[in-house]
Amino acid sequence: MRRFSFLAALFLAACPGGITPGAGDDGGSSNGVDAGPLCDAPEDDAGVFDDLLTPSRQLRRASMALRGVPPTDAEYAALLAAADQRAFVDAFVDQTLASPTFYQSMFELGRDWLNVPLAPSTADQPEYGPQQQRAVQRCGAMTVNAGKWAYVREDYEGGMARICGGQTRDGGVPKEVTIEPWWAPGTSATLVGSAANLDDAGIVQNNGNWVPVGCDRPDGTCGCGPNGVNCHADFQQYAGWENYVTWNEGGQRRQLAEEPARLFAHLAFFDKPMTDLIAGTTSVGTTRSISAYVMQGAESGDLTMISDDSWWRPSKFMSAPVDPFHTAGDPDAWREFDVPTVSRVFLADRDYTYDPRTTPPPMRGLPAAGMLTSIGFLAGQPRERLRAARALEILACEVLAPPSGQTFNPYVSDPAAEGPCQHCHRRIDPAAIHFKRFAKQGSASEGWGARYPMPAIGPWKWPTSWRRGTYPYGGEPFSHWNRWYTAGTRMTPVTQAQVDSDPLVVFIDFLPPDQTLLGEVSDGTVGPLGFSKLIIKSGAYDRCVVRRLHQFVLGRDIDPAKETGYLDLLTAQYVADGRKARPFVKHLTQSELFRRGL
């Protein structure tokens, strides 16, 4: 429809060089100022301005928005040959949204938006920790046990070199066992030395002395377990680097950091509601990244999946939806999996409540909450306040900026109620209370030394002396807990008497009814899911997703202060679309603002 509208007049006034017919698709103006694509839009025979971009400009904008590249020559030619060029552009959008390119674009959007960091180094590179498995490597070609797998660090003098040379610590012949390894299903691998020990008991060094140990986990001379599940194969010359380096797409460290973005892309591509990103029980992962969940479950006392091959045997996950660049059953595919199944420490229960002030441990676990209970997010953000601040910023679009020109009461013990930091902590701490039960303990060795205790869940409880910081509880995470989990604060709303009676009450991880988050009162759900429920209920999460998708399609954010009505209108449309990305993205491409080049 050709008309000289009020909006058109505004854009005419905004073009520094005036309308420049035929200026080309770059939207440039004669004076070198980027005036935007509308400034070179054509005039009709009467010199009246056309509100809408030409079909070729619409095609270019759709391609740049959805694919990040301009249309091909063939696509331009097809547009010119089309009887209805506007319909051709609409069909192009539909085809793009149904293609693997849309998945890739959503992954790149999710990676930039969610920005989950890599799990930090624990000690010297390449030690970082999340595997919680022991590394095995193949013995060299010139050794007695060439091609067989042994612990990178055997637990006695001579280590791997002695085992590969065919001798045990006492001069005997090392044990051997041939297995079908989880890291290469359908093949066989021979373990040698302590890695081959399938007994229920072994020995471990303790202060220089060898003492007996049970073999639920591969400490000391305990082996890799059924199908080698308690170990990970390292194929490089130097152990640890292939999983540590950032450029290895198959490395576990990178995959764990990418999981939230992959989940976002998966939900968009398979038309699932975006609430599943932060409140669902499913995630996506490769076999290597899923092993981190299995290990966390085992460390938390549930060994179910150690002997269950459903997470690593391809025939068992052939029906799982996978990313469009891999086939079903590929161990390297980003496939959908049920988090509570592979790691029982995360619960399917959507309304689980646990009050440590009234209920003794053990706690059943944490309700699964999409990316917020992903190993990558929890390990990459090392403490509860950092997790909360980042979650508020990226998922509720909160701006945590310090004030200026204000005077605050003196700081004593609670940053949410005292001192200059309370401006932010009054918002952060009601969120941080949900992210307490995951912390890093110990230093890594082959990815095995670092553990991630989840207090009061499974075996993660300690004698009351941990609260005093006495040996061996003087280091992290105990020193952090003892310093910051203080009775009577917003993040630890318990009494000192309750702490004295049972120190585990400091891990209270739900928002009490006398506090609110974004104006909402909690239903008592514990852990990150309790946080997710609050930001969804407040509407902040929906509005934030709308803003990120709007920025992806139209190239700019929505100002929530100046464009409240516009944001509310789009959010209502997004919710009406089932909170799904694909139909909402299509809606944005069909909007007049998009077709006008705004």
Side-chain angles (χ1 to χ4, degrees):
M1 176 179 180
R2 294 181 178 273
R3 63 189 184 278
F4 195 83
S5 67
F6 174 69
L7 279 176
L10 289 178
F11 298 125
L12 279 173
C15 294
I19 298 178
T20 55
D25 283 347
D26 60 358
S29 64
S30 59
N31 61 4
V33 178
D34 184 4
L38 197 56
C39 293
D40 66 349
E43 302 175 33
D44 64 12
D45 294 339
V48 178
F49 189 76
D50 188 347
D51 282 294
L52 301 181
L53 299 177
T54 62
S56 65
R57 295 297 304 275
Q58 286 190 31
L59 177 65
R60 177 182 172 85
R61 188 174 199 201
S63 180
M64 293 296 293
L66 302 181
R67 305 191 305 190
V69 295
T72 64
D73 291 345
E75 288 167 338
Y76 274 129
L79 172 70
L80 294 175
D84 186 338
Q85 293 187 356
R86 304 285 186 188
F88 179 91
V89 175
D90 289 341
F92 170 84
V93 169
D94 289 338
Q95 291 167 5
T96 303
L97 292 179
S99 72
T101 301
F102 179 61
Y103 174 94
Q104 184 64 25
S105 295
M106 289 292 98
F107 165 62
E108 292 173 2
L109 170 61
R111 183 183 57 195
D112 295 341
W113 168 32
L114 303 175
N115 194 26
V116 174
L118 296 162
S121 299
T122 300
D124 297 331
Q125 297 176 359
E127 307 292 8
Y128 70 100
Q131 289 164 326
Q132 301 188 99
Q133 296 167 304
R134 292 182 74 171
V136 289
Q137 284 187 320
R138 285 177 289 202
C139 295
M142 304 302 292
T143 63
V144 172
N145 285 316
K148 298 174 183 178
W149 296 86
Y151 283 148
V152 171
R153 296 182 179 91
E154 272 282 351
D155 285 288
Y156 48 79
E157 184 180 355
M160 182 178 178
R162 179 187 288 274
I163 292 299
C164 290
Q167 283 191 338
T168 63
R169 175 171 54 93
D170 56 6
V173 178
K175 289 183 178 180
E176 289 188 11
V177 63
T178 299
I179 62 169
E180 179 188 9
W182 72 271
W183 61 82
T187 68
S188 62
T190 299
L191 303 175
V192 62
S194 295
N197 179 17
L198 299 184
D199 296 338
D200 294 332
I203 55 176
V204 64
Q205 279 198 351
N206 185 4
N207 295 325
N209 299 314
W210 290 95
V211 296
V213 64
C215 283
D216 287 343
R217 311 295 294 122
D219 286 333
T221 61
C222 294
C224 289
N227 301 104
V229 169
N230 288 323
C231 298
H232 70 90
D234 199 303
F235 292 88
Q236 303 302 310
Q237 181 176 0
Y238 299 105
W241 284 102
E242 69 177 60
N243 277 314
Y244 179 84
V245 293
T246 60
W247 45 261
N248 182 14
E249 293 183 2
Q252 191 197 61
R253 184 171 181 244
R254 174 168 166 175
Q255 289 185 347
L256 291 176
E258 284 188 356
E259 180 183 336
R262 293 285 181 182
L263 177 58
F264 175 77
H266 183 87
L267 297 174
F269 191 73
F270 287 98
D271 286 331
K272 295 177 180 289
M274 280 298 158
T275 47
D276 285 357
L277 179 67
I278 62 170
T281 60
T282 59
S283 189
V284 293
T286 67
T287 295
R288 176 169 283 185
S289 65
I290 292 172
S291 70
Y293 287 87
V294 174
M295 292 303 109
Q296 184 62 31
E299 287 293 309
S300 298
D302 189 339
L303 303 179
T304 305
M305 301 307 294
I306 296 297
S307 57
D308 187 326
D309 65 356
S310 61
W311 61 274
W312 61 264
R313 189 176 298 282
S315 61
K316 300 291 183 68
F317 51 80
M318 289 295 293
S319 62
V322 301
D323 71 87
F325 301 105
H326 292 85
T327 58
D330 186 344
D332 293 323
W334 287 90
R335 66 180 184 266
E336 186 176 305
F337 70 96
D338 183 63
V339 175
T341 297
V342 300
S343 192
R344 308 297 170 85
V345 72
F346 298 113
L347 308 178
D349 190 341
R350 302 292 79 196
D351 301 298
Y352 179 59
T353 60
Y354 176 83
D355 190 338
R357 298 168 299 184
T358 58
T359 307
M363 185 180 182
R364 284 174 49 205
L366 291 179
M371 65 164 280
L372 296 180
T373 48
S374 68
I375 302 296
F377 177 81
L378 294 172
Q381 312 283 359
R383 289 178 177 171
E384 67 292 319
R385 283 187 169 112
L386 180 56
R387 293 170 194 147
R390 292 295 296 128
L392 285 170
E393 289 172 336
I394 64 178
L395 299 172
C397 286
E398 286 285 282
V399 177
L400 301 173
S404 60
Q406 296 188 37
T407 301
F408 296 93
N409 57 330
Y411 173 74
V412 178
S413 62
D414 186 0
E418 302 151 353
C421 295
Q422 66 182 282
H423 176 80
C424 291
H425 277 276
R426 289 176 68 89
R427 299 153 69 194
I428 292 173
D429 286 15
I433 196 173
H434 299 90
F435 292 98
K436 287 182 171 181
R437 294 185 191 268
F438 190 92
K440 191 173 190 176
Q441 179 185 10
S443 59
S445 174
E446 315 160 21
W448 168 251
R451 288 180 164 90
Y452 292 87
M454 303 177 73
I457 299 173
W460 298 119
K461 48 186 176 292
W462 307 273
T464 56
S465 59
W466 76 264
R467 192 62 178 166
R468 298 192 297 272
T470 57
Y471 181 83
Y473 306 112
E476 294 288 356
F478 303 101
S479 59
H480 171 73
W481 293 337
N482 287 330
R483 181 178 181 184
W484 292 112
Y485 293 5
T486 304
T489 59
R490 287 181 181 268
M491 199 172 69
T492 310
V494 297
T495 66
Q496 187 60 50
Q498 290 170 328
V499 176
D500 293 340
S501 175
D502 179 10
L504 288 177
V505 302
V506 300
F507 296 106
I508 183 172
D509 59 346
F510 65 93
L511 196 63
D514 61 339
Q515 294 189 47
T516 62
L517 178 64
L518 300 178
E520 300 297 333
V521 178
S522 173
D523 66 356
T525 301
V526 297
L529 182 60
F531 167 82
S532 298
K533 285 185 172 183
L534 290 168
I535 67 170
I536 292 172
K537 184 179 178 183
S538 72
Y541 176 67
D542 288 337
R543 291 191 295 273
C544 196
V545 174
V546 166
R547 289 174 61 183
R548 296 291 78 84
L549 291 175
H550 185 278
Q551 189 168 27
F552 167 73
V553 177
L554 277 83
R556 71 170 185 88
D557 194 1
I558 301 172
D559 189 329
K562 298 179 180 179
E563 299 176 286
T564 303
Y566 180 51
L567 179 57
D568 289 345
L569 184 67
L570 287 181
T571 302
Q573 179 64 50
Y574 163 75
V575 173
D577 287 336
R579 293 186 167 93
K580 300 174 182 177
R582 195 194 323 255
F584 183 66
V585 167
K586 181 176 180 179
H587 170 77
L588 291 176
T589 65
Q590 293 177 327
S591 66
E592 287 197 30
L593 291 178
F594 185 85
R595 294 182 175 185
R596 287 172 179 164
L598 305 183

